[in-house]
Amino acid sequence: MPGPSQSQRSALGSLVLIAAVVACGAGAFAYTAGWLSPDRLTSTKLVSALAPPGGPALGHRRNHAKGICFTGVFEANGNGVALSRASAFATGQYPVVGRFNLATPNPDAADPTVRVRGLGVQISAPDGGVWRMAMIDPPVFAVSTPQGFYELLQASGSKDPGAMKSFVAAHPEFVAFGKWAMTAPWTASYAEVAFNSLNAFIFTDASGAEHAVRWSWRPEAAATPITPEDFVKLGPNHLEDDIAERVAKSPQRWTLVLTVADPSDPTSDPTKAWPAERRTVEAGTLVVQEIEPEADGPCRDINFDPTILPDGIKVSDDPFPAARSAAYAKSYDLRTSEASHYPRTAASAKP
């Protein structure tokens, strides 16, 4: 059988390079900081694998360690009730606590060294319903199974020079993510980023009908591409400085877009995008009104567990939300027990 062509070897080599860069320290796929297969992995084992070579940053999240808090509101326009009876879809304004973040275990990482950006959101409704979500900006996920993610962590930390290449060869679904990582434009602002749930959830409407849904937060601000070289010149903490400056001038907005699956669309594999022509519903607007440093901010002690859902939304057959929930809980327990390593500042002594 003939071997791979030069172009094929080159393409594979590029993907290996991307995998090595974005997976270093589990950075690239940090939004999934909790995948595990109950039969093969444990949350302790997986969270340990997320740590960089020098060990975790004590007192911080084991992944998505660099972030900044915000508060605001979700302005529901009423359209979402066609898909879900969740009270947060009824027309009105609902308080939000959230967190912009970078997919890295290093809270001091320079912004241009991290390819993937994340968004945590908690929406609270008057009836006590709480909806928590954790999203990232790639349009597809990198691996199709929790076990695959663990294998990625192992390969990225291996001293075997062929480990990453073997991983990529064994996980062809990685190609779509690799293409995004290599070709998607960089921007210099959280305000210009669209964030995606990637995992599918089941929405139940007032009649009891169920709908498989993925969602995205699409920014009002137009994206302005920037080269990686120019991004470096802006400084290591530009993203946090920029979003604070923007919000101080005026609230920043994202539209919640719900995408409804056809029966033929996969709901258990976030590496497979649904066709662009699928039905979408614009359900409201996230309005970010105030930015606060995480050390004393309201998001600091929130675990953005994606299985904390209001009545009218539940998990699908996608195994990742439950897996993430288990590892998020482990990470939360660890970092809160290490609070002395990440002390609050004098600003926390507010009256």
Side-chain angles (χ1 to χ4, degrees):
M1 180 179 294
S5 67
Q6 180 63 37
S7 61
Q8 290 173 322
R9 289 194 297 270
S10 177
L12 179 57
S14 297
L15 290 176
V16 171
L17 176 60
I18 288 295
V21 171
V22 299
C24 181
F29 317 123
Y31 112 108
T32 62
W35 299 352
L36 66 157
S37 169
D39 295 333
R40 305 179 69 177
L41 300 177
T42 66
S43 58
T44 298
K45 187 175 180 180
L46 184 58
V47 169
S48 296
L50 291 166
L58 300 181
H60 292 266
R61 298 170 195 264
R62 289 310 193 250
N63 225 328
H64 289 260
K66 185 175 186 178
I68 191 166
C69 298
F70 68 82
T71 54
V73 295
F74 173 58
E75 298 178 340
N77 57 23
N79 294 338
V81 300
L83 298 174
S84 172
R85 62 175 178 250
S87 56
F89 286 127
T91 303
Q93 290 191 347
Y94 307 98
V96 168
V97 176
R99 182 175 185 264
F100 296 108
N101 56 81
L102 294 179
T104 173
N106 178 8
D108 300 314
D111 295 348
T113 65
V114 185
R115 188 64 175 105
V116 174
R117 301 170 186 177
L119 175 69
V121 173
Q122 174 182 276
I123 302 174
S124 300
D127 65 357
V130 174
W131 184 10
R132 293 184 186 172
M133 55 189 84
M135 295 147 291
I136 53 173
D137 56 335
V140 292
F141 206 59
V143 288
S144 59
T145 66
Q147 181 66 25
F149 180 67
Y150 184 68
E151 291 170 5
L152 172 62
L153 298 181
Q154 291 181 307
S156 65
S158 175
K159 295 181 179 180
D160 178 0
M164 189 59 70
K165 185 174 182 179
S166 296
F167 167 81
V168 175
H171 293 273
E173 74 272 20
F174 182 82
V175 172
F177 176 88
K179 181 179 179 181
W180 172 85
M182 289 187 289
T183 63
W186 291 73
T187 66
S189 178
Y190 282 127
E192 299 173 2
V193 176
F195 297 97
N196 307 302
S197 72
L198 299 187
N199 302 125
F201 292 79
I202 303 300
F203 284 25
T204 305
D205 64 28
S207 72
E210 296 186 340
H211 315 270
V213 172
R214 291 173 176 169
W215 63 81
S216 299
W217 293 102
R218 298 183 184 174
E220 177 182 76
T224 302
I226 187 172
T227 67
E229 294 77 17
D230 286 340
F231 190 21
V232 170
K233 296 176 184 177
L234 296 176
N237 302 307
H238 174 76
L239 290 174
E240 293 186 3
D241 294 340
D242 171 83
I243 195 66
E245 291 173 4
R246 288 187 185 230
V247 173
K249 293 177 181 177
S250 63
Q252 300 296 297
R253 293 174 167 82
W254 284 256
T255 299
L256 177 60
V257 180
L258 310 174
T259 300
V260 185
D262 275 4
S264 61
D265 293 330
T267 54
S268 63
D269 186 351
T271 69
K272 295 180 179 177
W274 294 344
E277 64 269 19
R278 290 295 177 258
R279 175 191 176 194
T280 60
V281 175
E282 294 188 0
T285 305
L286 170 65
V287 184
V288 175
Q289 300 171 320
E290 184 176 358
I291 299 292
E292 297 184 52
E294 184 176 40
D296 297 298
C299 75
R300 170 178 165 143
D301 295 327
I302 293 181
N303 176 8
F304 291 99
D305 181 340
T307 66
I308 296 179
L309 302 165
D311 178 54
I313 305 176
K314 63 183 180 181
V315 297
S316 68
D317 58 349
D318 188 330
F320 294 154
R324 291 166 60 196
S325 176
Y328 281 20
K330 181 64 178 179
S331 173
Y332 180 84
D333 289 344
L334 289 170
R335 66 186 175 88
T336 53
S337 70
E338 302 159 351
S340 62
H341 294 275
Y342 184 28
R344 292 187 180 274
T345 68
S348 63
K350 299 177 182 177

